[in-house]
Amino acid sequence: MTKERETIIIIDCGSQYTQLIARRVREIGVYSEILPWDCDLETILGKNPSGVIISGGPGSVLEEDSPAVPPGLLEARLPVLGICYGMQLVAKMMGGEVRKGEFAEYGRSRVTVEDRRSALLGGLPEALDVWMSHWDYVESPPAGFRVTARSESGMIAGFENEDARISAIQFHPEVAHTAHGTDVLTNFVFKVCGCGRSWNLEDWVQSSIDVIRAMTGDGRVVCGLSGGVDSTVAAVLTSRAIGDRLECIFVNNGLLRQGEAKQVMETYDGSLGLKVHYVDAADDFLSALRGVTDPEMKRKAIGTTFIRVFERKAKEIGGASWLLQGTLYPDVIESGHKGKDAAVIKSHHNVGGLPEKMDFSVLEPLRDLFKDEVRKIGAMLGVPAGILGRHPFPGPGLAVRCLGEITPERLETLRKADAIFTSEIRASGLYDTMWQAFCVLLPVRTVGVMGDIRTYAEVIALRAVESLDGMTADWVRLPGDLLDRTARRICNEAGGANRVVYDITGKPPATIEWE
């Protein structure tokens, strides 16, 4: 949202690393935006990009109907960088030869830089340890292109044309496993595209305040505060723009964690200067969820109920024409708002779960940002560290962690178990070292024994992950004694559960939340 900002467009061909490319570009000081591979040339050029990066992807350019970019993009005089699948796509579209390999190159590999004049790879060490992930390979580059790097097996690992406007590499510079990967992206963004360091979060804050003022005019804004980072930062930012025309509503939906409603209201009554109205709507939400077990239907029911609660409260306090939400870029991406072949991973109540008819226009000032950027902005705005450091909590609350039917009894079991797990993590000094940790209650009953009594109760799954932005994640190797204490306490204190398991699945292939 900065004025006159330079933009690098990333064309998403389905890579799990596409969002990581976008983050890396922003980290080096230039705004980036992701577009689907099937968008038209007019849309791409309409963003006035300084350069374009074509991502990797799981497909093969040798297959019919595989992802492709508009032919005119490679003729538009824009700097273009193809990564992995993007390299093969550039080669094929410009007359090079791509073949199916007899073997794949996955994981760590070594690449030799052959052309020291390369604008992309020049100045880097001659040998680079990189991350490969491909089966197809470029046998010969297009006419007018020269090979800039080769892999250990002799395959072409990089090429560019004579003026270096179009370049391509077979490895992934965006991942931490690639040495000097940031240098590769830096060379492209600054040397090839000629960008300056124009993505500055301080400037973004002021520009966003101006945009919010212009968008809302004299209208009043209502915000549903959850106590989490996203909604709080969105509210403080908007308050800076429109002052007391922002009315915040904290809804106790009956799906919060243990003691959360009281804790959140005490925090908002402090130094943030927000007007917050408390609404106890637990009965409304539990009624809407009665008998619902499908996760998507849960999210839709919760989203609709939120809006109806907001509408009632907004009318009570004087009416509002705008609904403020803390939607982030990963929310938009995961809700499937991209290419025609994109799958909806899950609906977010603040993206895909809104009813078609409502009395508000939606205001989403954080929509283009990743979580780490939002935390930095929150710190600039004076949001307390206690909120900024909180682990992410889903908008639908415990409904997405209580698998199966939602009942007051099952929610109470989950609340107690989650509080126990969190307390053990905090006591071990690990809370601030991880992205997220929580419990999931499974609709699976197993036989147990407590004393001399046979039990038949449900299962609690523990989940703890490390991540930078929630787009990818790895499970945390928690100490065995911590897990042991947690399991024993849950079985003894939570009630309703007699077995505890630990989720050791990364993202991908799983999502962080279970539903």
Side-chain angles (χ1 to χ4, degrees):
M1 296 170 104
T2 55
K3 297 176 182 178
E4 304 297 328
R5 72 180 175 200
E6 296 165 305
T7 300
I8 299 295
I9 292 296
I10 293 96
I11 304 295
D12 182 18
C13 294
S15 172
Q16 61 178 304
Y17 300 130
T18 299
Q19 292 80 33
L20 192 52
I21 301 172
R23 288 191 68 254
R24 293 288 182 258
V25 172
R26 293 188 189 192
E27 285 170 359
I28 61 179
V30 178
Y31 178 73
S32 61
E33 186 173 339
I34 298 169
L35 293 177
W37 64 266
D38 56 345
C39 69
D40 56 40
L41 183 61
E42 182 179 5
T43 299
I44 298 171
L45 298 182
K47 301 288 184 178
N48 193 28
S50 299
V52 174
I53 298 175
I54 304 173
S55 83
S60 169
V61 299
L62 302 176
E63 296 174 354
E64 190 175 353
D65 298 326
S66 59
V69 297
L73 178 64
L74 300 179
E75 303 165 2
R77 303 306 302 168
L78 281 172
V80 175
L81 169 62
I83 295 175
C84 197
Y85 178 92
M87 169 176 168
Q88 298 156 18
L89 182 61
V90 169
K92 180 186 177 186
M93 293 182 67
M94 301 199 74
E97 189 169 2
V98 180
R99 291 191 177 276
K100 193 76 173 179
E102 296 182 2
F103 60 89
E105 285 187 316
Y106 291 118
R108 295 184 188 276
S109 184
R110 176 158 286 204
V111 160
T112 300
V113 178
E114 292 192 348
D115 188 345
R116 308 304 296 172
R117 301 172 300 154
S118 168
L120 193 69
L121 304 179
L124 275 59
E126 184 177 351
L128 299 173
D129 292 322
V130 302
W131 188 260
M132 291 281 197
S133 179
H134 71 101
W135 191 288
D136 296 349
Y137 69 96
V138 176
E139 184 169 82
S140 58
F145 285 73
R146 62 180 184 272
V147 175
T148 56
R150 290 188 184 273
S151 67
E152 291 178 293
S153 62
M155 292 182 180
I156 295 174
F159 62 73
E160 63 186 51
N161 63 355
E162 291 303 320
D163 64 3
R165 180 178 64 85
I166 299 178
S167 55
I169 48 178
Q170 190 58 71
F171 56 91
H172 290 275
E174 69 274 18
V175 301
H177 307 295
T178 294
H180 298 280
T182 299
D183 294 331
V184 174
L185 292 175
T186 297
N187 283 344
F188 176 71
V189 170
F190 297 123
K191 291 174 62 176
V192 178
C193 300
C195 293
R197 296 186 186 275
S198 56
W199 177 240
N200 181 292
L201 291 180
E202 288 88 351
D203 292 343
W204 183 93
V205 168
Q206 186 55 54
S207 178
S208 296
I209 288 172
D210 295 340
V211 169
I212 291 168
R213 284 174 180 157
M215 285 183 65
T216 59
D218 295 327
R220 301 186 70 82
V221 178
V222 64
C223 171
L225 286 176
S226 68
V229 177
D230 308 337
S231 64
T232 302
V233 173
V236 174
L237 179 69
T238 302
S239 177
R240 296 286 177 88
I242 65 173
D244 61 6
R245 287 191 287 114
L246 173 65
E247 303 278 357
C248 297
I249 299 174
F250 177 73
V251 177
N252 183 348
N253 58 11
L255 303 169
L256 303 176
R257 290 166 289 195
Q258 188 168 280
E260 188 164 19
K262 180 181 179 182
Q263 177 188 352
V264 168
M265 287 303 295
E266 288 176 350
T267 301
Y268 287 138
D269 284 341
S271 60
L272 289 178
L274 300 174
K275 289 195 300 181
V276 184
H277 305 267
Y278 177 81
V279 179
D280 186 347
D283 290 343
D284 295 90
F285 284 88
L286 293 179
S287 176
L289 289 167
R290 188 173 295 120
V292 179
T293 59
D294 179 82
E296 280 299 296
M297 294 301 295
K298 286 181 184 177
R299 290 176 181 271
K300 298 290 186 182
I302 291 168
T304 299
T305 305
F306 258 115
I307 293 302
R308 300 310 171 217
V309 170
F310 286 153
E311 287 175 338
R312 289 199 303 266
K313 190 61 180 179
K315 290 176 182 178
E316 179 185 320
I317 61 180
S321 52
W322 291 86
L323 171 63
L324 173 65
Q325 298 199 107
T327 309
L328 304 190
Y329 205 20
D331 298 336
V332 177
I333 294 167
E334 287 199 334
S335 293
H337 292 193
K338 44 182 183 176
K340 65 183 180 183
D341 295 326
V344 175
I345 298 174
K346 57 187 177 184
S347 295
H348 289 259
H349 78 278
N350 55 346
V351 179
L354 296 176
E356 292 184 6
K357 296 182 179 180
M358 61 180 185
D359 295 339
F360 305 114
S361 298
V362 178
L363 180 65
E364 298 173 313
L366 310 181
R367 187 182 178 91
D368 291 338
L369 302 180
F370 290 99
K371 176 76 77 172
D372 56 329
E373 293 173 317
V374 172
R375 284 197 170 106
K376 291 175 183 176
I377 289 169
M380 295 175 195
L381 295 172
V383 176
I387 290 181
L388 296 180
R390 288 184 71 194
H391 288 180
F393 188 58
L398 294 180
V400 297
R401 295 176 181 174
C402 187
L403 276 59
E405 186 176 2
I406 306 294
T407 67
E409 296 77 17
R410 297 187 75 229
L411 285 172
E412 189 61 21
T413 295
L414 180 55
R415 281 194 188 95
K416 290 179 178 178
D418 192 76
I420 290 168
F421 189 30
T422 300
S423 69
E424 290 292 343
I425 289 173
R426 286 191 181 277
S428 298
L430 296 175
Y431 185 86
D432 293 328
T433 69
M434 62 185 70
W435 174 263
Q436 202 167 349
F438 56 90
C439 290
V440 181
L441 180 62
L442 308 183
V444 177
R445 291 186 177 273
T446 70
V447 174
V449 59
M450 303 180 94
D452 295 324
I453 301 174
R454 178 184 182 275
T455 62
Y456 191 54
E458 293 186 311
V459 179
I460 288 286
L462 308 179
R463 181 77 157 141
V465 297
E466 300 171 318
S467 179
L468 291 175
D469 53 25
M471 298 308 302
T472 60
D474 190 19
W475 63 280
V476 178
R477 276 65 173 171
L478 288 177
D481 58 347
L482 185 154
L483 293 172
D484 177 59
R485 286 194 308 272
T486 300
R488 285 189 286 109
R489 287 191 60 194
I490 287 174
C491 291
N492 289 331
E493 301 173 29
N498 65 357
R499 192 177 299 268
V500 177
V501 298
Y502 188 43
D503 183 351
I504 60 170
T505 318
K507 176 186 180 181
T511 53
I512 294 177
E513 298 286 348
W514 278 45
E515 284 196 350

